[in-house]
Amino acid sequence: MSSNVSGTSQQEFKWKARVSWLAGDRSTAYTRNNSFLIEKQASFKEKDPSPSAIEYLLGALGGDIAAGFNAVAPRFGVSIDALEISLSGQLNNSLALLGVIGESGHPGLETIEGRIYISAEAEEAVIEQVWRSVQARSPLLNTLKRCVDLNFSLVITM
Amino acid sequence: MQSPVLVGAVVYDPKVVVIWDIIKEFFINENCPMDYVFYSNYELMVEALVAGHIHIAWNSPLAWLEAEHETANGCRAIAMRDTDRDRVSHIIVRRDSGINSLDDLRGKTVATGAKDSPQATLIPLQVLWRAGLEAGKDFSLRRFDLLVGKHGDHVGGELEALRSLQRGESDACAVLDLNWTNWQADGTVDPAKLTVLATTPPFDHCNFTVRQDFPEDAEKRWLEVLFRMTYSNPAHREMMDMEGLKEWLPGRVSGYAILAEAVKAQHFFEEAV
């Protein structure tokens, strides 16, 4: 019998996605009963028909955190009135993404910065407790923090 | 499948890829496939052109001279932007400086862009040399060597030289005419405080360069498509606005004389080796 990697079980659930290339820089991702279009790895244009892969990652992280607040807040007796998360990500070297000959560095994300704007009827200290709990439970945050410099701040609004 | 014509370009800002994607898409739609290859500096791109790794290089004026030098005049300038023709640089001073002629710069400090910037360093220094002023002897040179290898394309060193003049750390600086106009428009420059002391002779800027052995039919076909790009097409206009042109024109080499003179007088290639 092989031993488990620490923190996992042999029955660990697996999520699945299937990505089908359409044409050019566009693909469709299929997950369970959903599908979504992905346009490019990263885009430097003002607008595109669909989000890029990097934007999906940022959006997914924000969605993960928002859902985390929704799951955790009631356990602290906190009712959320409004919640918005703004995120920005920066690559180590965008020119490496373009394959620029002679550039150093890599096209991986170097930093992700985020601001969480939350309005809730609760003491600031309690909301911060909720945020700590969200961080502990977030799959994407816990994945990314191991390889990217994450910098989040909590802004409590009335 | 037809092999694409490979076009090299030096990039310092990832947004440049938007320009090249528009050009590439148009060429592909016109059944003249092309692809781009990006380089971090002109020296690498000229090496690639000379070695035949790319067919066409989008060369700075200095890279054009370098390509000519490396191929013993075995290359051609086949196209350029309308705005590449007849550019000038200005030597700028503060209005209250009391400097009224180039000779007044004796003993003063002149700020320039990066050492490989034709417009903000090499050509203005040549104009001063023609006026009998030698850097390090007749005036102090304060050079802003930002992103050397990109031949001043990024404007960073040129802007730092201007800032140095504005802060009073230098007595003059050199600025490309287009930047001088833009910086007055966007408030970077207060025309009540700074003025043009002298202007260089006209010179040409970038061009598409091919080696002499690039097939004539391929060149003709590629140029026909390039010259079909028009400012009246919204997609092309987006690219042309970003790249700063209204139309593509045939290449010419008559506008590189003063830069060639500067490079020779300043031993640029000897020192660069």
Side-chain angles (χ1 to χ4, degrees):
Chain A
M1 183 188 283
S2 63
S3 63
N4 285 334
V5 175
S6 174
T8 68
S9 74
Q10 285 180 325
Q11 284 76 41
E12 192 61 72
F13 189 87
K14 272 189 183 173
W15 284 269
K16 295 173 184 171
R18 183 168 60 85
V19 178
S20 177
W21 173 69
L22 294 173
D25 292 321
R26 183 176 292 181
S27 302
T28 305
Y30 299 92
T31 58
R32 293 181 292 141
N33 57 321
N34 300 305
S35 68
F36 49 95
L37 286 168
I38 307 163
E39 188 90 19
K40 302 188 175 84
Q41 295 169 299
S43 178
F44 301 97
K45 293 175 75 174
E46 290 289 322
K47 51 187 179 180
D48 276 314
S50 303
S52 69
I54 284 186
E55 288 162 332
Y56 274 112
L57 186 146
L58 292 175
L61 177 58
D64 178 358
I65 292 168
F69 268 97
N70 179 61
V72 169
R75 297 176 188 194
F76 287 84
V78 174
S79 171
I80 297 170
D81 296 325
L83 174 64
E84 193 162 322
I85 302 154
S86 69
L87 300 107
S88 62
Q90 203 168 355
L91 302 187
N92 174 272
N93 185 351
S94 298
L95 297 178
L97 166 72
L98 302 178
V100 176
I101 295 167
E103 280 294 329
S104 56
H106 62 82
L109 277 162
E110 187 74 16
T111 59
I112 294 178
E113 294 192 344
R115 278 194 156 214
I116 300 161
Y117 300 89
I118 184 165
S119 172
E121 281 190 26
E123 295 291 322
E124 192 175 320
V126 178
I127 296 175
E128 280 169 359
Q129 255 187 310
V130 172
W131 170 222
R132 279 194 292 276
S133 182
V134 169
Q135 291 176 71
R137 291 173 52 143
S138 160
L140 295 192
L141 209 108
N142 279 281
T143 304
L144 290 167
K145 77 176 186 186
R146 288 166 167 76
C147 54
V148 180
D149 182 15
L150 297 181
N151 185 7
F152 276 87
S153 59
L154 193 62
V155 182
I156 299 167
T157 58
M158 298 301 287
Chain B
M1 190 177 171
Q2 205 179 333
S3 297
V5 172
L6 295 178
V7 183
V10 169
V11 300
Y12 55 91
D13 181 340
K15 283 185 180 170
V16 172
V17 74
V18 177
I19 295 170
W20 288 98
D21 276 339
I22 292 170
I23 296 173
K24 177 181 167 179
E25 187 183 344
F26 180 65
F27 271 76
I28 289 171
N29 290 340
E30 294 289 311
N31 293 315
C32 182
M34 65 151 275
D35 204 352
Y36 47 73
V37 184
F38 291 144
Y39 296 87
S40 63
N41 64 72
Y42 280 104
E43 281 66 30
L44 275 177
M45 186 170 70
V46 169
E47 273 178 33
L49 178 72
V50 172
H53 298 151
I54 53 174
H55 303 105
I56 302 174
W58 178 236
N59 267 339
S60 75
L62 186 62
W64 157 255
L65 292 183
E66 206 171 335
E68 265 198 316
H69 182 257
E70 292 296 318
T71 59
N73 299 322
C75 51
R76 299 192 301 277
I78 62 170
M80 62 201 334
R81 300 168 295 194
D82 52 351
T83 45
D84 283 314
R85 293 186 171 191
D86 299 320
R87 297 266 57 87
V88 294
S89 287
H90 301 305
I91 294 171
I92 308 294
V93 294
R94 289 185 301 279
R95 284 187 185 276
D96 63 2
S97 65
I99 297 169
N100 299 308
S101 70
L102 288 179
D103 206 54
D104 290 341
L105 290 174
R106 282 184 196 282
K108 305 287 189 190
T109 299
V110 177
T112 68
K115 67 177 181 182
D116 57 2
S117 172
Q119 60 270 16
T121 305
L122 294 163
I123 293 172
L125 288 182
Q126 191 59 19
V127 166
L128 294 177
W129 187 84
R130 281 180 176 185
L133 297 167
E134 194 177 332
K137 184 178 156 200
D138 301 302
F139 63 90
S140 297
L141 177 62
R142 188 188 295 262
R143 210 172 61 200
F144 290 88
D145 277 335
L146 267 71
L147 295 175
V148 171
K150 299 182 193 337
H151 296 185
D153 285 359
H154 52 89
V155 188
E158 196 172 329
L159 184 58
E160 282 305 308
L162 176 81
R163 298 287 192 208
S164 158
L165 173 68
Q166 289 172 318
R167 288 192 299 264
E169 295 164 2
S170 303
D171 302 293
C173 74
V175 172
L176 183 70
D177 57 347
L178 295 173
N179 293 332
W180 177 242
T181 303
N182 290 340
W183 288 340
Q184 287 180 90
D186 70 13
T188 303
V189 164
D190 180 353
K193 291 183 178 170
L194 301 183
T195 188
V196 174
L197 175 70
T199 297
T200 68
F203 57 88
D204 284 356
H205 213 262
C206 300
N207 72 57
F208 282 115
T209 308
V210 297
R211 291 196 326 187
Q212 208 61 266
D213 58 1
F214 186 58
E216 270 184 35
D217 56 337
E219 177 181 326
K220 185 168 176 280
R221 187 173 158 71
W222 194 83
L223 286 176
E224 278 171 2
V225 177
L226 183 74
F227 294 148
R228 277 207 291 276
M229 298 196 93
T230 166
Y231 198 74
S232 58
N233 178 322
H236 299 173
R237 190 183 311 139
E238 182 189 359
M239 178 280 290
M240 288 175 159
D241 284 342
M242 289 176 78
E243 187 61 21
L245 76 153
K246 291 283 192 298
E247 63 175 329
W248 293 107
L249 296 176
R252 67 177 192 187
V253 297
S254 56
Y256 299 118
I258 184 147
L259 180 60
E261 180 189 311
V263 162
K264 192 173 174 189
Q266 294 166 40
H267 308 288
F268 181 83
F269 288 131
E270 289 88 332
E271 286 182 12
V273 169

